[in-house]
Amino acid sequence: MPDSEPTRAGFGRGLKAAGESNSAVVGLCADLVESVQMHLFAEAFPDRYIEIGIAEQNLATVAAGLARAGKIPFAASYAAFSPGRNWEQIKTTAALNDLPVKIVGAHSGSTVGPDGATHQMFEDIALMRVMPNMVVVCPGDSIEAEKATRALAESPSPSYLRIAREKTPIFSTSDSPFELGKAYVLREGTDVTLFSTGIETPFALRAAEKLLRSGISAEVVHVPTIKPLDRNTLIVSVKKTGRAVTCEDAQAAGGLGGAVAELLCDEMPAPLLRIGMQDRYGESGAPLEVLAHFGLDDNAITDRVKQFVHSRPQYKPGY
């Protein structure tokens, strides 16, 4: 494997593998088959691939019809348009009926940087997390994206898979565990927990290294499944470290930051810092430039966590 690869590449491999394992798996796309890496599936199973065209509302409704007929449809487009344009159709035809439609939102967040604010979808996690019945998965690298795709093909639930355009670091291996609904402690720590999802996890791991050199022990917990949230793993970690930080290439309001804020409100009054887009739209630029500009890279995470740790006392259970 290369050191870095887009998560969309893992999706493409995973969908092809799922198609080989189960003839009920079908693919639908909104005229972006190579961009979303669905061409691997389409070339292998041309009779199970449907080109919908640039019509995302139709993409969702056709997928729901196929699911009702016993198929397992993966419906892919750019996240800006699906779920950005067809949220109501996803809700009404797929989620409301609890059908195994898999919505694949590609080119999410900052990773489509040069295309600017109209195509930089930072709101999708919040949109899909609030939808009843919907599973929300945001894999951290291409290896995990492949595993997530195959796992979703076996899941009976309507689901949203968030994948990225740009190459990002690979931090997992073929032996790394992946299960829908599970979070994973990638690094032990005692002073603060960094909860990260998607492409932000490599930056959280880098930040933890830098923080250690400053005398701060940061635990890194990777959260690839945002819904259902692995409440137990998250709570155990915060009880140990006494502080929580969320890191995501998405709107902090309603995204992973929102999910963790709700969890801590329910379970414990631990201090929380949410690192993500702060009620803003994106801007044009290279993906790494966009991340740095909005304070989402490892340098920004390191600086903000330092300030947070030095200004907020640790939560102690029972106090």
Side-chain angles (χ1 to χ4, degrees), residues 11 15 24-34 36-39 41-42 45-67 71-78 82 86 100-106:
F11 161 70
L15 184 61
V25 173
V26 297
L28 304 84
C29 193
D31 200 26
L32 297 164
V33 63
E34 291 191 8
V36 302
Q37 297 291 288
M38 194 178 271
H39 65 288
F41 180 90
F45 310 105
D47 58 334
R48 286 195 264 153
Y49 172 74
I50 302 173
E51 178 53 66
I52 296 294
I54 305 173
E56 282 80 12
Q57 289 98 335
N58 202 34
L59 178 72
T61 55
V62 171
L66 288 166
K71 304 300 182 183
I72 303 170
F74 282 77
S77 183
Y78 290 174
S82 180
N86 61 3
V101 173
K102 319 302 176 182
I103 302 297
V104 182

Side-chain angles (χ1 to χ4, degrees), residues 34-308:
E34 291 191 8
S35 289
V36 302
Q37 297 291 288
M38 194 178 271
H39 65 288
L40 299 176
F41 180 90
E43 291 166 1
F45 310 105
D47 58 334
R48 286 195 264 153
Y49 172 74
I50 302 173
E51 178 53 66
I52 296 294
I54 305 173
E56 282 80 12
Q57 289 98 335
N58 202 34
L59 178 72
T61 55
V62 171
L66 288 166
R68 177 65 77 185
K71 304 300 182 183
I72 303 170
F74 282 77
S77 183
Y78 290 174
F81 311 127
S82 180
R85 181 173 291 158
N86 61 3
W87 188 90
E88 186 273 330
Q89 283 79 18
I90 296 169
K91 171 189 172 184
T92 304
T93 65
L96 180 62
N97 296 293
D98 204 16
L99 295 173
V101 173
K102 319 302 176 182
I103 302 297
V104 182
H107 292 50
S108 60
S110 65
T111 67
V112 66
D115 290 350
T118 57
H119 285 56
Q120 291 170 3
M121 186 55 160
F122 294 104
E123 297 77 27
D124 52 329
I125 295 176
L127 284 171
M128 299 306 276
R129 189 173 74 84
V130 76
M131 189 178 290
N133 296 332
M134 186 64 62
V135 171
V136 179
V137 181
C138 190
D141 62 18
S142 60
I143 294 176
E144 190 170 69
E146 182 174 349
K147 295 175 184 176
T149 302
R150 299 184 70 170
L152 288 174
E154 298 175 0
S155 167
S157 300
S159 307
Y160 177 59
L161 178 66
R162 188 182 206 247
I163 55 175
R165 178 186 187 278
E166 190 71 8
K167 289 182 179 180
T168 52
I170 295 173
F171 60 87
S172 69
T173 70
S174 59
D175 295 327
S176 299
F178 177 83
E179 183 179 342
L180 294 175
K182 295 295 184 181
Y184 300 97
V185 179
L186 302 185
R187 181 187 178 107
E188 298 277 352
T190 56
D191 297 324
V192 62
T193 299
L194 308 184
F195 294 118
S196 59
T197 192
I199 67 164
E200 279 294 283
T201 293
F203 296 102
L205 288 167
R206 292 176 187 173
E209 288 285 351
K210 295 177 180 180
L211 288 165
L212 187 61
R213 294 197 288 270
S214 299
I216 296 173
S217 174
E219 183 151 299
V220 179
V221 179
H222 176 50
V223 189
T225 305
I226 298 173
K227 184 184 177 185
L229 195 65
D230 186 351
R231 297 170 66 92
N232 183 66
T233 297
L234 273 61
I235 290 168
V236 168
S237 181
V238 178
K239 282 183 177 179
K240 179 172 69 169
T241 67
R243 303 181 185 94
V245 176
T246 57
C247 306
E248 59 192 310
D249 183 34
Q251 294 288 352
L256 176 64
V260 174
E262 293 164 13
L263 174 64
L264 295 181
C265 183
D266 288 343
E267 299 292 341
M268 66 185 79
L272 171 66
L273 170 65
R274 293 179 294 163
I275 296 177
M277 289 295 284
Q278 302 294 330
D279 199 28
R280 298 181 65 180
Y281 292 107
E283 296 179 19
S284 297
L288 289 177
E289 292 175 337
V290 174
L291 277 173
H293 178 71
F294 289 109
L296 305 178
D297 66 352
D298 51 301
N299 290 326
I301 293 171
T302 302
D303 291 341
R304 294 196 64 190
V305 173
K306 282 182 185 178
Q307 182 181 22
F308 176 65

